[in-house]
Amino acid sequence: MLKDLVRPNILALEPYSCARNEFTGEARVYVDANENPYNSDVNRYPDPLQIAVKRKIAALKGVRETQIFLGNGSDEAIDLPFRIFCRPGIDNVVAPAPTYGMYQVCADINDIEYRSVPMKPEFQLDLDGMKARIDDNTKLVFLCSPNNPSGNALRWEDIQWFLDNFRGITIVDEAYIDFSSQPSLLRELERYPRMMVLQTFSKAWGQAAIRLGMAFAGEEIIRLMNNVKYPYNVNILTQKQALRVLDNIADKDKAVKEILQQRDMLRDRLNTLECVDRIYPSDANFLLVKVYDADNTYKYLLERGIIVRNRNRVTLCKGCLRITVGTPSENEEIISALKEYKIG
């Protein structure tokens, strides 16, 4: 049962009840939360459960509002499972390498052992290696698909093994799913009560500045996350902006289409350059590009005002730069600069 995975203190927790938890709906006079009655735009506390935003997301994603958690960026949704399920100094989590670095940061902050398993050379899971690192105290497995920094989607059959066999919580991070031909695992939400799926407004929606992450899971997991989160974790300005962009889905779809076109163009053009060794397949809005001298190529671009991500010291990424797909003019500038770069 799920409750057997939860830390005893979390099961016993009496969550904080804020003023806006105790009343829903509209009223003429609000004098329950010790707010300043003036400055009507932002003087009131926001909805602590973001119901209006969740209602639109639920309709868009085909899930129930009670299966959605909204956080201060995806980082909050990554951190909360550590606090809910993992006993400090006792439990552990397992993840492949390379992958999104925030998983290990959260593990370190929460005093949880982080067991990293190198991926196979083409950035697919070493399933046997990950199985070997799982024990009775493994509470979480993180799977980023499409993966960062490699860009590729993980094989469904490998993900499915964890969903079918791992007794802890399998967290599938789909931050880049809108750029992938692989379908979202939201379609499996009812089938797997110990799965959590992460998505974000930062990438395809183009809203990185508002810091809004989405987690989808069974209602029991979402209830636990709402109990542990801080009361007003998503501010009113973020909620209003999310409602605006959710009313303009066509804008997001147009941006995704253009980014995918530019990704293909950028890949093809980069492949013709002398300084490029290879480009890994991508299901995301970036390319992992192996060059012949990553450190000096990075410095060369930096001197020309072009910032890419140097992944040269990351597991399996020796010699690699991660290049986000930009606007057509930005992509042309990258290509023009690298054309002029002289190896050695």
Side-chain angles (χ1 to χ4, degrees):
M1 295 179 65
L2 183 67
K3 69 177 184 179
D4 295 331
L5 297 171
V6 182
R7 289 169 57 183
N9 63 304
I10 300 299
L11 279 178
L13 177 69
E14 183 68 31
Y16 176 75
S17 179
C18 62
R20 295 298 179 259
N21 281 129
E22 295 172 3
F23 170 81
T24 57
E26 297 294 329
R28 289 185 299 104
V29 178
Y30 290 91
V31 288
D32 59 336
N34 299 337
E35 301 153 323
N36 185 324
Y38 303 107
N39 183 21
S40 59
D41 285 340
V42 292
N43 63 311
R44 301 297 181 187
Y45 287 110
D47 176 2
L49 293 177
Q50 313 94 31
I51 297 301
V53 182
K54 288 179 180 176
R55 187 175 298 122
K56 288 184 180 293
I57 293 172
L60 175 65
K61 302 289 186 178
V63 300
R64 295 188 296 279
E65 296 168 32
T66 50
Q67 294 175 310
I68 304 171
F69 172 85
L70 296 182
N72 184 352
S74 291
D75 295 340
E76 183 177 15
I78 291 168
D79 182 59
L80 282 174
F82 284 95
R83 295 162 59 192
I84 293 168
F85 298 106
C86 299
R87 296 166 296 174
I90 299 174
D91 292 325
N92 66 77
V93 304
V94 173
T99 194
Y100 182 42
M102 202 60 199
Y103 311 146
Q104 181 160 6
V105 170
C106 286
D108 292 344
I109 290 171
N110 287 282
D111 191 23
I112 305 301
E113 181 187 358
Y114 184 84
R115 297 181 175 180
S116 181
V117 180
M119 301 179 97
K120 294 181 177 179
E122 293 303 311
F123 299 110
Q124 289 296 336
L125 299 180
D126 179 355
L127 195 54
D128 290 336
M130 293 186 72
K131 290 178 187 178
R133 298 308 307 275
I134 292 172
D135 61 22
D136 291 342
N137 290 330
T138 304
K139 293 295 185 67
L140 310 175
V141 165
F142 284 93
L143 303 173
C144 188
S145 183
N147 190 38
N148 176 16
S150 58
N152 62 296
L154 303 180
R155 284 191 291 261
W156 159 242
E157 55 267 30
D158 290 345
I159 297 174
Q160 188 177 27
W161 184 89
F162 292 98
L163 298 176
D164 286 337
N165 298 284
F166 176 52
R167 307 317 298 171
I169 308 298
T170 300
I171 302 175
V172 184
D173 190 340
E174 293 187 341
Y176 301 96
I177 195 65
D178 294 276
F179 306 104
S180 177
S181 59
Q182 183 184 71
S184 169
L185 288 186
L186 290 182
R187 72 189 192 279
E188 303 289 348
L189 207 56
E190 299 290 346
R191 183 178 174 191
Y192 295 110
R194 294 190 308 279
M195 176 180 71
M196 182 186 304
V197 176
L198 306 181
Q199 294 186 8
T200 180
F201 278 84
S202 295
K203 311 302 180 183
W205 290 95
Q207 302 294 309
I210 72 171
R211 308 308 302 132
L212 187 59
M214 296 173 275
F216 303 88
E219 294 177 3
E220 190 173 357
I221 291 178
I222 298 300
R223 180 182 59 79
L224 289 165
M225 294 178 77
N226 285 330
N227 285 351
V228 175
K229 78 174 182 71
Y230 291 111
Y232 301 109
N233 61 322
V234 179
N235 69 71
I236 191 62
L237 301 178
T238 290
Q239 293 188 43
K240 287 181 176 179
Q241 179 62 14
L243 290 171
R244 280 193 285 269
V245 299
L246 286 165
D247 283 335
N248 292 280
I249 297 170
D251 291 345
K252 185 267 289 184
D253 292 341
K254 179 182 178 184
V256 169
K257 182 178 179 181
E258 292 177 356
I259 289 169
L260 292 177
Q261 291 171 345
Q262 286 295 307
R263 184 184 73 188
D264 292 344
M265 183 282 298
L266 186 61
R267 178 198 62 219
D268 293 345
R269 298 278 297 280
L270 288 172
N271 261 326
T272 68
L273 301 182
E274 181 183 356
C275 64
V276 173
D277 182 15
R278 69 173 294 188
I279 300 174
Y280 291 91
S282 177
D283 293 278
N285 67 330
F286 60 85
L287 297 170
L288 187 66
V289 181
K290 188 173 184 179
V291 296
Y292 289 103
D293 188 344
D295 289 343
N296 283 326
T297 304
Y298 174 79
K299 293 175 185 176
Y300 166 83
L301 291 172
L302 188 60
E303 289 168 357
R304 282 152 183 77
I306 299 171
I307 303 175
V308 298
R309 197 78 188 271
N310 189 352
R311 303 284 78 187
N312 188 37
R313 290 165 183 80
V314 172
T315 303
L316 297 180
C317 295
K318 184 175 178 57
C320 289
L321 304 176
R322 194 191 70 189
I323 302 176
T324 305
V325 179
T327 64
S329 61
E330 288 172 334
N331 296 331
E332 285 294 338
E333 191 168 347
I334 294 167
I335 293 164
S336 296
L338 289 175
K339 272 184 178 179
E340 299 173 4
Y341 179 68
K342 304 300 181 184
I343 300 175

